[in-house]
Amino acid sequence: MNTLLKENKKPLLVGLTGGIGSGKSTVAKIFQAYKIPVFNSDVIAKSIINTDIEVKNELIRLFGIEVYKDGKYNSRLVANEVFKYPSLLKQLNLIVHPKVGGEFEKWIELHQSKRILLKEAAILIESGSYQNLDKLILVIADKESRIKRVVKRDLISSEEIERRINNQMSDEEKKRYCNYFIYNNEKELLIPQIENIVKELSKV
């Protein structure tokens, strides 16, 4: 019998978070290889932002008509605006995150037979949604590796990425909320770290 499945228990809700360029999505894929379902909050949020009429209207009210360029969400404009005016980020989260939370609740209901469920989110701690989870995992990487990954992925300048990193909650701050840590620094292997955490979680 799979050790991750235990009868008569509700799923253990585990959060997976990490700063921009930390590699949490790569880590999430490895957890999926251990048959652990993953709810990707950022993907769901993007879908809601692009399809939910109520949300679209709220974002147009907040950022202006330019927030949807040719019918598509202008993420770069929003990133620039919330960087300049942090209060806009709070308002953005108040619009989007309750919707994401509702989708997460539905998703949990669909996976009641699983022992462990993973919620992946960039701002799991900052949004306060970590409070509804049982355990938290933080993916940590050095700044140089993070910048290198995002430059390659998003084709934006290293200076812009560094500004975003400096504008986020630091790993040191996040550590206070987390139970487990995964170091994605190209010096330590990911799979053994993740395997150890899976074993620990299966005992809870």
Side-chain angles (χ1 to χ4, degrees):
M1 182 179 176
N2 191 324
T3 57
L4 299 182
L5 298 177
K6 294 181 181 179
E7 293 181 5
N8 303 320
K9 277 196 174 186
K10 290 182 178 180
L12 186 72
L13 303 181
V14 181
L16 177 69
T17 194
I20 183 172
S22 62
K24 63 180 171 53
S25 294
T26 299
V27 168
K29 287 175 184 175
I30 298 173
F31 273 104
Q32 285 179 312
Y34 284 89
K35 309 300 181 187
I36 296 174
V38 175
F39 179 90
N40 189 318
S41 301
D42 301 335
V43 168
I44 297 299
K46 285 176 185 175
S47 174
I48 288 169
I49 284 168
N50 280 297
T51 60
D52 188 300
I53 298 300
E54 184 183 355
V55 168
K56 291 177 83 169
N57 287 336
E58 286 292 310
L59 295 183
I60 289 169
R61 181 189 60 78
L62 189 61
F63 295 101
I65 195 70
E66 305 85 9
V67 73
Y68 288 97
K69 190 176 182 180
D70 299 323
K72 292 184 179 179
Y73 182 60
N74 191 340
S75 58
R76 180 160 290 188
L77 178 145
V78 173
N80 290 334
E81 288 297 303
V82 299
F83 180 77
K84 289 187 289 185
Y85 308 106
S87 63
L88 285 177
L89 180 58
K90 291 180 181 179
Q91 293 179 67
L92 173 64
N93 290 339
L94 285 172
I95 294 167
V96 177
H97 285 288
K99 298 271 187 178
V100 175
E103 291 301 315
F104 182 54
E105 291 299 322
K106 293 176 191 174
W107 183 82
I108 292 171
E109 288 300 316
L110 292 174
H111 295 86
Q112 283 294 313
S113 64
K114 298 293 183 179
R115 176 68 191 101
I116 300 169
L117 297 178
L118 203 69
K119 182 180 185 180
E120 176 191 348
I123 57 170
L124 199 59
I125 296 168
E126 297 91 324
S127 68
S129 58
Y130 75 94
Q131 296 175 64
N132 300 316
L133 303 173
D134 301 305
K135 300 288 181 182
L136 288 183
I137 302 167
L138 176 63
V139 182
I140 299 170
D142 60 89
K143 186 183 283 190
E144 185 180 343
S145 296
R146 293 169 66 182
I147 291 172
K148 192 186 300 181
R149 287 174 192 143
V150 183
V151 165
K152 186 177 180 181
R153 184 189 71 196
D154 296 347
L155 303 176
I156 56 179
S157 71
S158 58
E159 290 78 15
E160 183 175 343
I161 299 159
E162 188 160 12
R163 282 199 301 272
R164 291 186 190 181
I165 289 173
N166 293 337
N167 200 40
Q168 292 181 337
M169 181 185 283
S170 70
D171 287 342
E172 287 305 311
E173 290 176 281
K174 290 178 182 177
K175 279 181 179 180
R176 294 186 288 124
Y177 297 86
C178 298
N179 308 97
Y180 306 99
F181 309 103
I182 294 172
Y183 294 91
N184 186 19
N185 51 21
E186 300 175 7
K187 295 176 184 176
E188 300 176 63
L189 296 174
L190 281 177
I191 291 176
Q193 295 182 74
I194 294 168
E195 187 171 342
N196 285 337
I197 291 174
V198 171
K199 288 177 182 176
E200 288 297 315
L201 291 174
S202 67
K203 296 174 186 175
V204 176

